[in-house]
Amino acid sequence: MNLFLDLHDISFAYDKKKPALTSISLRVPARLPRDENSDENTNETIDENSGTNNDEGSGIFVSIIGPNGSGKTTLLKILAGILPPATGTALLLETPVTRIPDPSKILAYVPQTLSLGFSLSVLDFILLGIPTEKSLTGKVTGQTARKAQEALKLLHIEDYARRDILKLSGGEKQKIILTKALAQETPALLLDEPITHLDLAGQIEILDLLKKLTKKNKKIIAIMHDINLAARYSDYTIMLKNGTLFAAGKTQHIITEQSIQQCFSVPVKRAGDFFIPIKTQ
């Protein structure tokens, strides 16, 4: 079985008082098998990580969900090679994260926010993220510039190219960070709350695009706060609670009324494809 993620006994602590992650072990396949007979209303909260999809060009959309402080961003940073685990090993696309020679060619990491202390055009910012060789004159090659322009077109923001990135709104900056990641053309995308600052139309636009990219063999991991959107777009879900793995598996088996109540301490009722919080006395 080809694996997207292979984590064994991952732990991490920012200080000695409380660990951020404790003994996270899981295996996520690079592709999921078709499951035409799956029960969308199953209450199963743990799913076996088995099987592959023989369809060429299919990727996977993995969501990481859980209450605030459950370790979602910490786990994503470990997968991106930004934080070293205190214990355990993390493999991305069957390669140890700490041993990837040039991570920029394997994964693109998108943080929650952009902190930039100087003016820069959107196009120049995107070009900074593209691994490339410069021409003999030291200038960016035409091929690299085309990659940046094509990434802007994917999000329909070609007119942003000459704008000052410091003058963009929070939602516009979020689109630019994602555009920079897409321009890298890596097999894996690691996204920390990619739709937080966007309005509803923007959220659906981005998630629709990401889902389409999985049809072109893109492997995506995204931290999601909206349970309903995670349920709609994710193929596979990792649910964390208090720094531990609460559940992991195919999304339809993981995001259920029972698991939401147990993990988030919020009773919900399923209404069609949506989970609605229930008022308590």
Side-chain angles (χ1 to χ4, degrees):
M1 177 176 64
N2 295 325
L3 294 176
F4 177 25
L5 297 178
D6 189 358
L7 309 182
H8 177 68
D9 196 30
I10 294 292
S11 297
F12 183 86
Y14 292 98
D15 55 51
K16 296 181 180 180
K17 295 180 180 179
K18 181 182 179 182
L21 292 173
T22 304
S23 300
I24 303 292
S25 295
L26 60 87
R27 306 175 82 202
V28 180
R31 297 181 178 91
L32 289 181
R34 288 184 177 179
D35 191 2
E36 297 176 354
N37 298 319
S38 64
D39 180 2
E40 292 293 327
N41 296 313
T42 180
N43 286 326
E44 181 182 356
T45 56
I46 298 292
D47 184 60
E48 293 296 329
N49 305 312
S50 61
T52 58
N53 189 335
N54 293 323
D55 293 343
E56 291 295 329
S58 64
I60 189 170
F61 191 123
V62 179
S63 283
I64 303 176
I65 64 174
N68 291 339
S70 59
K72 300 184 296 295
T73 294
T74 301
L75 178 59
L76 194 69
K77 286 184 175 180
I78 288 174
L79 298 177
I82 297 171
L83 294 176
T87 64
T89 56
L91 277 69
L92 182 75
L93 295 173
E94 303 187 346
T95 302
V97 172
T98 55
R99 298 180 187 175
I100 298 176
D102 186 353
S104 65
K105 294 182 179 180
I106 301 297
L107 64 91
Y109 172 75
V110 176
Q112 292 180 21
T113 58
L114 172 65
S115 297
L116 195 65
F118 54 90
S119 294
L120 192 68
S121 74
V122 167
L123 181 59
D124 286 338
F125 174 73
I126 294 170
L127 289 171
L128 287 175
I130 303 177
T132 182
E133 294 181 2
K134 293 183 179 179
S135 65
L136 293 176
T137 61
K139 296 182 179 179
V140 173
T141 64
Q143 181 181 1
T144 302
R146 283 192 293 273
K147 286 183 179 181
Q149 293 289 354
E150 288 169 1
L152 286 165
K153 288 181 181 179
L154 282 175
L155 277 78
H156 309 291
I157 51 175
E158 302 96 311
D159 57 334
Y160 283 28
R162 299 300 173 188
R163 293 180 62 181
D164 186 339
I165 199 167
L166 294 182
K167 296 181 180 179
L168 301 178
S169 69
E172 290 172 332
K173 287 180 180 177
Q174 197 155 35
K175 285 188 175 183
I176 296 307
I177 304 172
L178 178 58
T179 302
K180 178 172 172 283
L182 293 176
Q184 288 182 231
E185 297 184 342
T186 57
L189 283 176
L190 278 59
L191 314 174
D192 193 347
E193 300 181 29
I195 59 172
T196 299
H197 301 292
L198 299 174
D199 59 24
L200 183 58
Q203 292 178 12
I204 299 303
E205 178 187 13
I206 295 301
L207 291 173
D208 280 348
L209 172 60
L210 294 175
K211 194 67 175 178
K212 288 179 181 177
L213 291 175
T214 65
K215 306 301 181 184
K216 299 180 179 180
N217 207 29
K218 190 76 75 175
K219 313 294 191 293
I220 295 171
I221 309 173
I223 293 176
M224 300 283 286
H225 273 295
D226 190 311
I227 296 295
N228 287 309
L229 290 178
R232 176 178 176 180
Y233 286 93
S234 306
D235 302 304
Y236 191 102
T237 295
I238 299 170
M239 186 178 287
L240 301 179
K241 182 177 182 179
N242 296 327
T244 63
L245 180 63
F246 183 81
K250 292 181 182 179
T251 294
Q252 67 265 32
H253 298 168
I254 299 303
I255 301 182
T256 65
E257 294 176 356
Q258 179 182 0
S259 66
I260 293 172
Q261 180 165 346
Q262 291 176 349
C263 185
F264 291 87
S265 301
V266 175
V268 297
K269 181 178 181 179
R270 185 161 190 161
D273 292 332
F274 297 94
F275 295 95
I276 302 172
I278 300 173
K279 289 184 178 181
T280 56
Q281 299 295 333

